[in-house]
Amino acid sequence: DPAEATAGGGRGRVVMAATRAPVARGLPVEVQDSLRRDYPELTVVVQDFEQPTASEAVAAGKADIAVCSESALLPGLVAEPLWAELLDRAIVPANHPLAARGTISLVELDTLPFVYARGSAAEHAGERVAKALRAGGLRSPIIVLDGDVRTAHVAVATQRGWTLITRSRANAPPQGTAVLAVTGLTATVEMIAVWRRDDRRALIPTVIRRMREVALSYPDSRVRALTGTGHPPLRARTFRVPRPPGSVPSDLQLRHLRELLSVTTTPSISRAARRLGMSQPALSRQLRALE
């Protein structure tokens, strides 16, 4: 039954915004293939983004779910970690003498400025990486640019300096750059799943759970401990504007009140569900959402 499949999270269309590192890692394709086998009526459309525009696309309603590196999230979004990506690769201009090197130390990169874009990571992540760079012996002059990660990549390609990229992103480096393995650097960045808190469609948890299952197989997985159901709970960091006291939640709809009224005036939830023309599991989910 199409209605039951939709209510059960097995039917519909989800747009996933993915930055280049998860795409290079292969997570979006693995999720697509896995869901296609189990839920042939559930379609996941993957769109490429650079950091941090994937989560911004979710906030703007242009995508339903994002997989990207940790960043400052807009109000109304929730996020949870999937895996830790090693940040131990440098990109230098493709025609620079250092481009011929396979590996390099931070000290040897001091002939080029280190380029960093403010919008490329959350503040706490940037501070963590800066600490790792200092511990590794960074001597390069630092150039801080306004913009996102693409700004830093363009700066490197136009010979203004060098910057760090994740190990997965190094499999598909920005045009005009060459990749070097950096020795003596221990830095990671969390890759996260992002979705809208008010998106109550049942297919969203279905896709998030499958993303967890794929990431759980990674040696650097950060998926939280599984519950008795075999899945972590869909609870994560929340970023939203506080609701003024005494006001009504913006996502409260009349159907929620109809469902509550039907349940309180009917001997059982299953009868209430039949009266409302929906399945009992779907009504139970709606009641949990109302709570």
Side-chain angles (χ1 to χ4, degrees):
D1 183 293
E4 288 194 3
T6 301
R11 186 174 185 269
R13 181 178 184 271
V14 170
V15 177
M16 179 189 295
T19 53
R20 299 297 176 85
V23 170
R25 184 78 177 244
L27 178 131
V29 172
E30 287 188 67
V31 170
Q32 282 179 315
D33 291 345
S34 177
L35 287 171
R36 192 177 296 117
R37 290 192 299 269
D38 296 339
Y39 303 98
E41 294 184 282
L42 200 166
T43 302
V44 177
V45 178
V46 178
Q47 296 181 353
D48 289 350
F49 286 85
E50 284 287 13
Q51 186 73 15
T53 52
S55 60
E56 292 173 354
V58 176
K62 297 177 182 178
D64 304 304
I65 294 172
V67 54
C68 56
S69 61
E70 52 187 317
S71 56
L73 301 184
L74 296 172
L77 299 182
V78 289
E80 66 175 46
L82 294 175
W83 75 93
E85 188 72 34
L86 286 170
L87 196 64
D88 61 353
R89 295 293 187 268
I91 51 172
V92 298
N95 58 355
H96 192 277
L98 291 177
R101 301 276 298 273
T103 61
I104 199 167
S105 69
L106 287 173
V107 173
E108 292 171 307
L109 281 165
D110 64 359
T111 57
L112 280 172
F114 174 69
V115 179
Y116 175 74
R118 289 190 179 91
S120 60
E123 184 177 353
H124 66 277
E127 291 173 353
R128 191 173 66 245
V129 173
K131 183 178 179 180
L133 286 169
R134 289 193 296 270
L138 177 70
R139 294 182 183 175
S140 299
I142 299 175
I143 298 176
V144 180
L145 304 173
D146 291 323
D148 58 22
V149 71
R150 289 169 294 192
T151 305
H153 293 172
V154 170
V156 173
T158 53
Q159 305 187 48
R160 293 182 62 187
W162 69 275
T163 196
L164 290 173
I165 60 173
T166 63
R167 187 173 291 191
S168 290
R169 183 69 170 92
N171 294 323
Q175 188 173 2
T177 70
V179 177
L180 304 175
V182 182
T183 60
L185 177 63
T186 304
T188 60
V189 60
E190 274 191 354
M191 307 306 296
I192 60 175
V194 180
W195 65 97
R196 289 186 299 277
R197 181 179 178 82
D198 62 359
D199 193 338
R200 304 296 186 184
R201 292 175 298 163
L203 78 173
I204 298 299
T206 298
V207 178
I208 295 292
R209 290 190 182 101
R210 195 54 52 96
M211 292 169 70
R212 289 170 176 153
E213 290 167 2
V214 172
L216 194 60
S217 67
Y218 296 165
D220 44 10
S221 174
R222 291 292 186 271
V223 174
R224 293 189 178 91
L226 299 180
T227 65
T229 62
H231 298 289
L234 266 179
R235 293 175 183 170
R237 312 169 198 164
T238 304
F239 303 78
R240 59 175 175 168
V241 177
R243 179 166 54 87
S247 62
V248 176
S250 60
D251 52 354
L252 182 67
Q253 300 178 23
L254 283 176
R255 62 183 175 83
H256 292 131
L257 303 181
R258 292 194 197 98
E259 290 158 3
L260 180 61
L261 180 62
S262 181
V263 168
T264 56
T265 57
T266 307
S268 67
I269 291 182
S270 58
R271 286 192 185 180
R274 286 196 296 272
R275 177 190 292 182
L276 292 165
M278 59 195 303
S279 67
Q280 186 269 324
L283 178 57
S284 297
R285 282 193 296 272
Q286 293 285 11
L287 291 174
R288 284 196 296 272
L290 177 59
E291 291 172 359

